[in-house]
Every structure is written in structure tokens, then in C-alpha cells.
Amino acid sequence: MSDRRRFIAGNWKMNKTIAEAEELVQALLPRVGAVEDVDVVVCPPYLSLQAVVDSARGSAVQVYAQNMHEQDAGAFTGEVSAPMLTEIDVAGVILGHSERRQLCGETDRALQLKVPKALESGLIPILCVGETEEERERGDTERKLRHQVQEGLEKVPKERLHEVVVAYEPIWAIGTGLVATPEQAQDAIAFVRALVQGFDKEAGNRVRILYGGSLKPDNAAELLALPDVDGALVGGASLDAESFATIVETARA
Ligand code: PGA
């Protein structure tokens, strides 16, 4: 096993009111609140961030946001900035999730600014990359990943590259119940690692790369055992305390 620390993040997406988020984190804390050997992260919607941060304070659970704007402030109606997140002790942020790229107009150009902005602001970015089904069938998976990784990391100072977490999420596997085969996941993630090594060899060896897309308690062991997979970005299965805790336990094994 590599000496990269395992990382399990739950992406709650647009689920849970504040009351429901409180309930979920209260159910999670007895199960994962004292886990010291794996980074355990939850990513609630903006409105629940403060409540979940307050509930998780003093535990090992870290709270990340699901997106942020690249500017600190300004006329950007409906957006949230890095200083607003750090003010309430949010520790990181998902950037470039495929749902934001596909449904909310997130561009590679904006991500090029968001990733270094997060780091400068004291937030750990989880940069999401991944191909559509059509791109995979056309044989364009590597081309797509190269483009997304290069754009997303281009403006990150070399000495901070290893702090970024990258999530490989094949779009055809997200929320569909279709999971990448271990071979597909390992190949794509090894390719992403080689791309980061292309920026800086040492950073590529150290960077954590997650798998995401229909990861559940029953397929987690197989995916988390792959040599280049350092953890998971979990959607649906993170909405249930028992299944998320089981995935965290699997990562510790
Ligand atoms: P899923 O979502 O686990 O529900 O497929 C993963 C994600 O979008 O991060």
C-alpha cells in the first residue's frame, strides 16, 4: 500500500435541509468521528455548512463545500466565495463536479482560477474530472482527462500541487448504478497520476486520486484496493450514515 493517506468524501449534492443534515451528521459522528487514519469529509449544501461544521467541531470529520466562485467578492448573483467558506471553518471544496460542468455551465477556464484560489484561501480543492459514455466509446477518455487535468492544475504553484485532491468520476457511472470495472478505474487513475507527474514527479507520487461513480459498500473494497486509488467521492451512498460509515471502514482495512 502507498503511504498516501486515504480520503473518503461524501457529496450530499442538493440533498438534506438543515435539520436533516444535522440528523445525518449526528448519526455519522459515533461511527466515524474518531477515525484518525483516513481523511473523512462530508460536503453538505451551502445552507447546512455552518450547522454541520458546528456539529463536527472537535471530531475527525472535515466539512467541505460543493463549489465556490473564483473571485473573493463582487457582482456575481447567487455565488459564494472562498472567504465566506473559510469564515465558517469549511476546510475544502469540490470543484468542477460533472453536474456543475454539464448542468450549470462550469467552464475549464473558471476552474483554472478556482483551484489555485481555493489553495491560496486555505481550502483543499477536490478537482473532479471524467469522461462521458460517448467519449469513452469513441476512445477519447485520455484526451478528455488530459485536457481537464491540465487546465485545472495549470496555475497551481508546483510546490502546492500535491495538496490538491483529484476525483476521477466517469460521468456514465455517476448516479447510474453502473460502476467502472477495477481495470477501467485503475487505468484512468494511473493516467491521471501520470499527468500530475508530468507537472512535477514528486507531486504526482503524493497527490491523492479518488474514484467516484456508484461506489457503494458492496463494491468499495475492490475499488479501494487498486494501487493508484486513494479513496472515493461518494454520492448516493453518503446520504445514509450506515453505508457511508461502512465505506470509511473499508478504506481503513
Ligand atoms: P454517486 O455520485 O456515488 O451517486 O454515483 C458520485 C458523485 O457524483 O460524486
Side-chain angles (χ1 to χ4, degrees):
M1 206 155 95
S2 80
D3 52 9
R4 295 182 295 269
R5 189 178 158 83
R6 294 285 183 97
F7 191 108
I8 302 291
N11 176 9
W12 295 2
K13 305 192 180 183
M14 195 178 73
N15 293 291
K16 307 291 178 190
T17 61
I18 296 174
E20 291 164 347
E22 284 268 26
E23 207 176 299
L24 179 52
V25 75
Q26 292 303 343
L28 276 173
L29 286 171
R31 295 171 166 91
V32 301
V35 169
E36 298 286 354
D37 47 356
V38 172
D39 281 340
V40 179
V41 169
V42 294
C43 312
Y46 286 134
L47 278 180
S48 313
L49 283 171
Q50 175 86 71
V52 177
V53 164
D54 288 343
S55 296
R57 211 181 293 281
S59 81
V61 174
Q62 304 162 54
V63 183
Y64 283 28
Q66 298 175 14
N67 180 40
M68 65 167 217
H69 195 271
E70 64 271 25
Q71 301 289 329
D72 280 344
F76 302 104
T77 301
E79 292 288 336
V80 168
S81 70
M84 297 173 188
L85 297 174
T86 54
E87 184 186 35
I88 61 164
D89 295 333
V90 166
V93 60
I94 298 174
L95 294 174
H97 190 280
S98 62
E99 285 149 16
R100 295 214 54 84
R101 294 180 190 260
Q102 292 196 308
L103 308 173
C104 306
E106 179 86 273
T107 62
D108 287 325
R109 182 56 54 86
L111 285 165
Q112 210 174 56
L113 302 174
K114 287 184 181 194
V115 179
K117 180 71 190 187
L119 285 170
E120 266 165 45
S121 309
L123 295 163
I124 298 295
I126 303 178
L127 172 66
C128 300
V129 299
E131 80 287 1
T132 63
E133 186 171 18
E134 217 179 54
E135 287 161 341
R136 176 161 284 270
E137 279 168 6
R138 279 206 310 262
D140 274 347
T141 299
E142 292 196 347
R143 198 158 63 119
K144 176 74 171 292
L145 294 177
R146 181 178 300 112
H147 179 75
Q148 289 184 326
V149 171
Q150 285 185 337
E151 290 257 323
L153 298 184
E154 200 162 66
K155 294 193 192 302
V156 175
K158 269 209 171 74
E159 66 280 7
R160 301 208 64 182
L161 259 180
H162 68 276
E163 295 176 58
V164 178
V165 176
V166 183
Y168 166 65
E169 300 203 299
I171 294 168
W172 47 271
I174 295 179
T176 58
L178 281 177
V179 66
T181 65
E183 194 186 355
Q184 286 170 330
Q186 170 58 27
D187 285 355
I189 288 178
F191 181 72
V192 168
R193 188 173 306 289
L195 292 171
V196 183
Q197 285 166 336
F199 282 100
D200 184 80
K201 184 117 179 71
E202 172 68 13
N205 294 339
R206 291 175 69 189
V207 73
R208 273 125 15 121
I209 310 180
L210 317 179
Y211 169 79
S214 297
L215 187 127
K216 312 272 182 232
D218 62 358
N219 58 27
E222 170 172 66
L223 290 156
L224 293 172
L226 298 167
D228 281 292
V229 175
D230 302 313
L233 182 54
V234 186
S238 73
L239 297 174
D240 175 74
E242 194 54 51
S243 68
F244 187 66
T246 304
I247 294 167
V248 171
E249 278 310 312
T250 306
R252 301 181 70 190

